[in-house]
Amino acid sequence: MFALVAAAVLLLDQTPKQKAVFTPPPPPASAPAPARREPSAPVVLSSVAVTLECTARASGRVENCRVLDETHPGLGFGDAAIALMRDAQVEPGPRDVQFARTIQFMP
């Protein structure tokens, strides 16, 4: 019973409420410089993805793979993804087909 009375008192509170006004933050004067990493400090990567474009020949052989996008360029993951596709085979078809594939490298 007490909880019901307390809830009613809180709902019927007649004290004036202050209106909330949103003010957007001012734009930064200049972008902060990126933090420099020590050469000996290891790079911690939670996930890496490389998107390749390849050609599937009518014979089923996969050729001519090239990197379209990678999350961490310059670390060798693009070359590793191309190496993974080097001996890839697909179901033979009536004609050559270009396709894209994203390869995820997990830690």
Side-chain angles (χ1 to χ4, degrees), residues 15-99:
T15 57
K17 305 292 187 244
Q18 188 177 27
K19 290 185 178 181
V21 178
F22 174 74
T23 306
S30 64
R36 293 191 142 234
R37 184 180 63 84
E38 292 296 320
S40 61
V43 176
V44 178
L45 303 174
S46 58
S47 68
V48 176
V50 178
T51 302
L52 300 177
E53 180 183 62
C54 302
T55 302
R57 299 290 178 202
S59 65
R61 182 155 175 76
V62 175
E63 299 176 343
N64 302 330
C65 290
R66 67 181 184 95
V67 176
L68 290 178
D69 186 41
E70 56 185 309
T71 56
H72 300 285
L75 296 179
F77 289 102
D79 293 334
I82 289 173
L84 286 171
M85 294 297 290
R86 188 165 291 135
D87 295 323
Q89 296 282 326
V90 296
E91 187 79 24
R95 59 185 168 84
D96 294 352
V97 177
Q98 281 193 312
F99 67 96

